[in-house]
Amino acid sequence: MLTKEQNEILRKSYSPQLDQLLETQLQTALKDLPWVTVDKVQVSQGRCLAMQDFLADLRYAAGITANRNAKP
């Protein structure tokens, strides 16, 4: 859970370009996961989960709570 200060910082720093960059980095990391060496799998999974959490926090702070591409 983020504090009000942290939410405010994320809200101010949000931009569609930053969102797209993080989403691209996350998708690249997830696609590369099957080729990661066995001893590094948990590290890579942890990084992906951390990136997903940060992206979700960033979107929530910016007021983006719904998937706008989803069909009703």
Side-chain angles (χ1 to χ4, degrees):
M1 199 88 198
L2 298 175
T3 65
K4 287 184 179 184
E5 271 183 12
Q6 292 168 333
N7 273 333
E8 186 65 21
I9 291 169
L10 285 177
R11 186 187 65 76
K12 289 179 180 179
S13 64
Y14 179 82
S15 71
Q17 293 86 3
L18 177 61
D19 188 298
Q20 185 63 38
L21 173 68
L22 292 173
E23 184 67 35
T24 302
Q25 291 294 323
L26 175 61
Q27 292 306 316
T28 301
L30 288 173
K31 286 178 187 174
D32 291 343
L33 198 54
W35 292 278
V36 174
T37 59
V38 175
D39 59 330
K40 300 290 182 182
V41 169
Q42 287 184 332
V43 172
S44 295
Q45 286 175 333
R47 287 181 184 154
C48 289
L49 289 173
M51 206 177 318
Q52 281 178 329
D53 288 344
F54 179 71
L55 191 54
D57 287 341
L58 181 65
R59 288 175 176 163
Y60 179 77
I64 301 170
T65 57
N67 182 354
R68 301 187 191 276
N69 297 329
K71 295 184 179 183

